[in-house]
Amino acid sequence: MACNDCDSSVFRQKIGRCKRCMLMLTALCILGWPLWYLLFSEQITSVASLALLLFCFAWTGLLALHLLVWAWRTLWGREHQ
């Protein structure tokens, strides 16, 4: 089951707190980028290449946002805002 922070429906409360989400995004980034490079780096304009590239950027961006908010909350102690 999900943690207490993930059961909440407010995005602001979830971001940077859910370790399960961050681990899944890390796994998707670790698998997605090498897969794109190995399969589609030479044919960048194909639909499959662009779709995988879009998803890789989305996963990486969301992971970066999670880590940025986690660092902000950890360093400045703004846990309950």
Side-chain angles (χ1 to χ4, degrees), residues 1-8 14 18-21 24:
M1 296 270 73
C3 60
N4 291 335
D5 294 321
C6 292
D7 288 337
S8 171
K14 292 179 188 180
C18 183
K19 292 178 184 173
R20 184 182 63 174
C21 295
M24 287 190 316

Side-chain angles (χ1 to χ4, degrees), residues 2-47:
C3 60
N4 291 335
D5 294 321
C6 292
D7 288 337
S8 171
S9 63
V10 179
F11 178 75
R12 186 179 204 174
Q13 292 174 353
K14 292 179 188 180
I15 195 78
R17 289 187 177 145
C18 183
K19 292 178 184 173
R20 184 182 63 174
C21 295
M22 289 188 268
L23 289 174
M24 287 190 316
L25 287 168
T26 301
L28 287 170
C29 290
I30 289 172
L31 294 173
W33 285 110
L35 185 67
W36 178 83
Y37 183 76
L38 291 173
L39 297 178
F40 298 113
S41 63
E42 294 178 1
Q43 44 183 323
I44 295 174
T45 58
S46 72
V47 174

